[in-house]
Amino acid sequence: IRLNTDVVSASFSSATQRWTVTTGAGGTIVCRFLILTTGYYQYEKPHMPAFDGSDRFQGTFVHSQQWPESLDVAGKRVIVIGSGATAVTMVPALIDSGAASVVMLQRSPSYYYVAPKHKKDRALSVLERLFGARIGYFLQKWLTILQGAVVYAYAQWFRAAAKQRFIAEARKLCPDHVDADTHFSPSYGVWDQRLCLDPDGSLFAALRTGRASVVTDHVARFVESGVCTGGGEVLEADIVVSATGLTLQHNFPMSTMKVSVDGVPYDAPNHFVFRGCMLSGVPNLFYILGYTNASWTLRADMMARYFCDMINYLGRHGMGM
């Protein structure tokens, strides 16, 4: 494993049937197969909306993807703009880091699924004792797949009931100063958008400290002392964090790499996708993406097995090796 290594380019030669990968330090790595786990976002270019008056703000304004190591939040008033996966984990972390107050400013509510961060499934323990680790894992994996499918189907077929169930859970977890019906009641149905996982219910635990709160409104403009919402409320802050996500890759799935095959640069619109993991005209290259309504690692595991089967098949038949 090579850490802190930036890959700048990769070129494939049909004559040698090899990839040559070039790193930012000028080194090269030659390989038969290239597997990309670069996702579909540009992590170097986060999404930063054009907030009116952000240059007038007298405090510190940062994007969550470009967090300065020297930034100290202890004793500071913090506003987090956003309510996605970044915000839901950042708010508790800021409270734990000693922030005086944290406001999660969201344009619209989201659904949150609370689940334990570290817990060995009881069903898996029973299955392992009865059938052994290998078969027990196989059975548990399929139980998890079926459970996810049932929950998704329930949310789609019984939309009103599913929505009320999530809102009722939020009501139980929210402290008195947070109105769940205002801040945790989305206008869309469950699973119409991706669910946001709240590990160990840490977001709600942060709200219960009394130092964290939620405001549901859009950003009208920045002012010298903080943020003015669309409703005219001024939220004062020392630090404002834009947790507004990332931008999509323009040359998917190559991220920032310059990729070529026999000297011809890769251009995404000129290629077809095969089985969601390979590309026409780009030999010996695989990429991994997860599911949108199930575990990301579940599909990643399936694709890794598929790659191994294919590589072994090629080796047995003397192809592409």
Side-chain angles (χ1 to χ4, degrees):
I1 299 176
R2 303 190 185 187
L3 303 176
N4 300 316
T5 302
D6 182 33
V7 176
V8 296
S9 66
S11 60
F12 182 80
S13 169
S14 296
T16 62
Q17 296 193 30
R18 296 292 187 274
W19 281 97
T20 300
V21 178
T22 304
T23 68
T28 58
I29 303 170
V30 177
C31 57
R32 293 185 177 93
F33 299 94
L34 189 60
I35 300 177
L36 305 181
T37 58
T38 50
Y40 47 80
Y41 287 122
Q42 295 186 78
Y43 294 96
E44 298 80 6
K45 296 180 180 179
H47 173 61
M48 178 65 84
F51 293 115
D52 181 30
S54 59
D55 56 335
R56 295 197 298 267
F57 178 51
Q58 297 299 305
T60 302
F61 181 39
V62 298
H63 194 285
S64 56
Q65 187 68 14
Q66 299 171 328
W67 191 270
E69 292 185 11
S70 60
L71 184 58
D72 183 12
V73 302
K76 303 294 179 62
R77 300 165 300 171
V78 184
I79 296 174
V80 177
I81 301 174
S83 61
T86 301
V88 77
T89 52
M90 177 168 282
V91 170
L94 291 169
I95 291 294
D96 291 343
S97 298
S101 65
V102 180
V103 176
M104 185 173 79
L105 175 55
Q106 59 180 11
R107 183 173 54 187
S108 59
S110 300
Y111 293 108
Y112 295 97
Y113 176 68
V114 176
K117 185 185 295 185
H118 301 293
K119 176 185 176 183
K120 187 172 183 179
D121 195 288
R122 292 180 182 178
L124 177 58
S125 299
V126 173
L127 291 171
E128 285 181 342
R129 287 198 302 269
L130 292 175
F131 302 104
R134 185 180 182 87
I135 297 177
Y137 171 78
F138 175 82
L139 293 174
Q140 174 61 10
K141 183 177 78 170
W142 279 101
L143 283 174
T144 303
I145 292 171
L146 291 173
Q147 182 184 32
V150 168
V151 171
Y152 180 78
Y154 171 78
Q156 295 298 299
W157 293 344
F158 305 98
R159 298 174 65 85
K163 179 172 183 173
Q164 288 307 312
R165 185 164 187 168
F166 271 85
I167 297 173
E169 184 67 19
R171 289 194 194 105
K172 289 194 299 183
L173 295 171
C174 280
D176 292 338
H177 71 280
V178 178
D179 182 9
D181 292 286
T182 298
H183 304 301
F184 295 96
S185 178
S187 59
Y188 55 90
V190 179
W191 272 124
D192 285 355
Q193 298 182 24
R194 292 186 71 176
L195 280 179
C196 194
L197 176 66
D198 181 15
D200 289 335
S202 56
L203 172 64
F204 294 98
L207 294 174
R208 290 193 295 270
T209 66
R211 292 158 49 210
S213 59
V214 183
V215 173
T216 302
D217 204 342
H218 68 273
V219 176
R221 63 187 181 279
F222 275 64
V223 294
E224 288 79 1
S225 59
V227 174
C228 180
T229 69
E233 181 182 4
V234 174
L235 305 174
E236 296 189 345
D238 304 301
I239 301 171
V240 176
V241 182
S242 179
T244 47
L246 303 162
T247 55
L248 294 174
Q249 294 180 20
H250 295 306
N251 208 32
F252 175 82
M254 306 306 182
S255 187
T256 58
M257 292 189 303
K258 296 181 179 178
V259 176
S260 63
V261 176
D262 295 330
V264 179
Y266 171 80
D267 185 26
N270 295 326
H271 298 265
F272 290 97
V273 171
F274 178 73
R275 292 201 172 184
C277 61
M278 290 181 284
L279 299 162
S280 64
V282 188
N284 293 13
L285 180 139
F286 310 104
Y287 66 89
I288 291 179
L289 289 178
Y291 289 115
T292 57
N293 59 350
S295 168
W296 185 275
T297 52
L298 176 65
R299 188 168 187 264
D301 179 67
M302 294 169 60
M303 296 174 85
R305 293 173 182 271
Y306 178 71
F307 300 158
C308 290
D309 290 344
M310 177 168 290
I311 291 172
N312 291 333
Y313 177 88
L314 294 174
R316 288 195 303 269
H317 293 82
M319 297 164 24
M321 303 294 287

